[in-house]
Amino acid sequence: MTSNSSKIGCLLSDLGIHEDSQRKAIASNYLAGRKASELSEQEINEVLVAIRQNHSQANTCDLRSKLLRLEQELNRNYLEREELIRVVLLSLLTRQHTLIFGKPGAAKSSLVRAIASAISGGCFQIQLGKDTTTDQVFGPIRVSELPNDRLCRAYQNFLPGKPLAFLDEIDKANSVILNALYTAMEERQFLNDGKMHSMPLVSLFGAANNLANLQTEALAPLLDRFLFRIEVDWLQSDSNFLEFIRRKAEGERSILTTVLSLPELKQMQEAVRKVGFPKRTQESIARLRKELASEGIFASDRRWGYIIQLLQAVAFLDGEDEVMEDNFAILKHVLWSDKKQITTIERILKPLCKGLPAKFKQAMDRAIAKADAVLSSQDISTLAGQCALAIADLNALVEGGKRLPQSGRTKQAETILTQRITRLEAYSLEHMEQQQTVCSI
């Protein structure tokens, strides 16, 4: 019979805990001064369950921090793309698909490729057109198998063999490709040698310059298979555009240091499904559906079903144990079937998403506007003082935000404020070095 000490030792080994001092500390903590041999079978089982659960929770927190670190790196590299980056990460956590549409030259392709490079397993990428063939998407037929009357595809490096896919100009796909995509996106299956085979597809990202091309009766099934539909535009802020020009002029390249493995992503997907969804939030969803219907906005039962896990993923990313109405803001990218409905959806969601206190939000908007003005300023004589004042205002808001009830909104606000502080500090240091160079000359 296996001793209680051996049971604990085997579990710690299974969890990857091998260092003696760490093993002893964990065992001592859970035994609470008792000897393992003194525990009954029920007591030792309770200890083993507690060790496993706490280890899983700690590991999940580490993985969430890693994903948030990737999000921060992407936000630093891609200006004014916070919403799109969050949507793409939520797609990965929920195994859903995202359509990105908008003007050409808005970094749609670049951003998706950057995120794909941070996920192990590879990404299938192709620009679709009217002449694109199934061989180009699902892999060519193996000629060597034709004498055996078999139509087998060499699919490993194509859509059926990769966990991620990026299909550019998806609105230009022909009917043959579309029919195959419907099954691939919904059921994660493809036809090979006369049989349906499973695909490892996690998420598919489609890009289109013109949404109108997709809002036709023929392409309605394709649009419906994208849980997220998000529009991107060119840079709007003058200071962000100036920063973009500086990076291009200096040849600064985007670098990501955080990489996620597929097992890590799968573990986070499992953690998402464990996030609580209390009755009061369920009732809020029912009321939201009814209010949208009164405005002539409808979504299928399937889409509402997907929304449940989406909201769990939002709460997970925000570090919350259960879904709250505060998490509903993301639904503006999910519930519309016509772009004109987005404004109405935002209006209906606004009272539900309490967000930040009005005074704090106003102060934050003023501080950010002031920071952006400093970043755009060419008055070198007063730049150091302007930067110092703007940084002081932002730091005060960061500290003030910590005293508010913590939620996803407060954490997002802190991220935005600290990013502005970092840019101001770098901007100030750069101009100080320039002044010193001029003075030395």
Side-chain angles (χ1 to χ4, degrees), residues 396-408:
L397 283 167
V398 170
E399 292 303 314
K402 292 177 181 178
R403 294 190 291 272
L404 295 173
Q406 294 301 293
S407 68

Side-chain angles (χ1 to χ4, degrees), residues 163-184:
L164 301 177
F166 175 57
L167 308 186
D168 200 5
E169 298 194 23
I170 194 169
D171 53 318
K172 296 181 180 178
N174 57 56
S175 59
V176 176
I177 297 296
L178 287 174
N179 288 331
L181 282 178
Y182 295 154
T183 304

Side-chain angles (χ1 to χ4, degrees), residues 7-21:
K7 290 179 180 178
I8 294 175
C10 289
L11 175 59
L12 294 177
S13 296
D14 290 343
L15 296 175
I17 302 170
H18 302 291
E19 188 180 337
D20 285 342
S21 59

